Amino acid sequence: MEAKSDWKRVVEFHGHACPGLAIGYRVAKAALRELSGRRAEDEELVAIVENDACGVDAIQVLTGCTIGKGNLIYRDYGKHVFTFGCRRTGKALRISVKGSVWQRRDPEEEAEYRRLRAKVFGGEATEEEKARFYSFQQRKTEEILSLPEEELFNMQWVDMELPPRARIFNSVTCAFCGEPVAEVRARIREGKPACIPCSLEYSRGW
């Protein structure tokens, strides 16, 4: 398995190995190779992810694109699509995972996997069924880690307007809960600064 130390770091961060994490690992490796060759220390790279699934953890660990640094942008589209931009070169790469990646080649095995998945996540699986399900997961994870990239996803260079670098804002104190809030996120309630949760405390008396 290529770069075992990187895979180990990703698994330790996420908590377990799974197919979704393996996809993020392969996507991150491809993006780094094509765009910069190394992890972003600051905001040299920007990642736009279109899902909040397991693979995003691998992208954070390997590429250095994180919520905290402001260079990971989450779009809630429910798609396994990842776009990476490099500030140094201005290049951007879009990677979309092929739907066939998630399917098992044997239809009977696919049907069994779906049945077991429903029971495991529904809390109804026996220990034997759980073991069988996680063996499926392990095999799929190993498959994703070893398949050629062209069988996993499509990659294309795209035009991308990189977002401005993250900004740090002053804080104001919410007049209702007393907690500090970034002034750019503050609202006005009864003529006083309010955080978003406090500003939503509005009632028409019903």
Side-chain angles (χ1 to χ4, degrees):
M1 188 187 304
E2 182 188 2
K4 290 183 180 179
S5 60
D6 284 346
W7 174 242
K8 183 179 179 180
R9 285 195 300 125
V10 165
V11 173
E12 287 177 348
F13 178 82
H14 186 62
H16 64 265
C18 63
L21 190 68
I23 281 292
Y25 174 85
R26 294 296 304 273
V27 165
K29 283 288 191 178
L32 286 174
R33 184 191 67 235
E34 297 295 329
L35 285 170
S36 70
R38 61 194 177 98
R39 189 179 191 273
E41 294 180 4
D42 191 16
E43 296 181 54
E44 307 94 287
L45 291 176
V46 175
I48 299 174
V49 301
E50 299 186 17
N51 66 80
D52 59 354
C54 302
V56 177
D57 279 354
I59 286 165
Q60 291 189 94
V61 171
L62 295 183
T63 70
C65 296
T66 69
I67 289 287
K69 283 195 296 193
N71 59 339
L72 180 77
I73 299 170
Y74 167 53
R75 292 179 177 167
D76 191 11
Y77 296 164
K79 298 175 65 175
H80 284 276
V81 175
F82 311 85
T83 304
F84 300 85
C86 178
R87 293 190 186 279
R88 179 176 56 82
T89 64
K91 291 184 176 181
L93 181 67
R94 185 179 189 268
I95 302 177
S96 60
V97 179
K98 296 181 177 180
S100 58
V101 169
W102 309 109
Q103 303 296 318
R104 282 152 182 80
R105 302 179 194 279
D106 182 343
E108 291 186 5
E109 186 176 286
E110 175 67 17
E112 182 184 4
Y113 169 77
R114 289 180 178 274
R115 180 183 64 79
L116 290 171
R117 185 179 188 277
K119 295 193 74 173
V120 168
F121 288 107
E124 301 172 350
T126 64
E127 291 303 314
E128 183 179 346
E129 288 171 328
K130 289 178 184 177
R132 176 70 171 157
F133 171 76
Y134 287 114
S135 72
F136 277 137
Q137 289 287 81
Q138 181 179 350
R139 293 209 314 267
K140 176 56 72 173
T141 299
E142 292 170 354
E143 178 184 306
I144 290 169
L145 291 173
S146 61
L147 279 174
E149 284 180 357
E150 58 269 22
E151 293 187 33
L152 291 174
F153 39 69
N154 295 310
M155 296 194 295
Q156 63 180 126
W157 296 103
V158 295
D159 293 326
M160 173 181 170
E161 184 177 350
L162 292 171
R165 289 181 178 272
R167 294 173 57 189
I168 298 176
F169 296 94
N170 293 327
S171 293
V172 297
T173 301
C174 174
F176 300 90
C177 67
E179 296 174 349
V181 55
E183 62 181 359
V184 72
R185 293 288 183 258
R187 303 289 187 267
I188 298 298
R189 174 184 164 196
E190 300 172 13
K192 302 172 185 177
C195 65
I196 291 175
C198 288
S199 73
L200 298 178
E201 294 179 4
Y202 169 76
S203 172
R204 298 184 64 187
W206 295 95

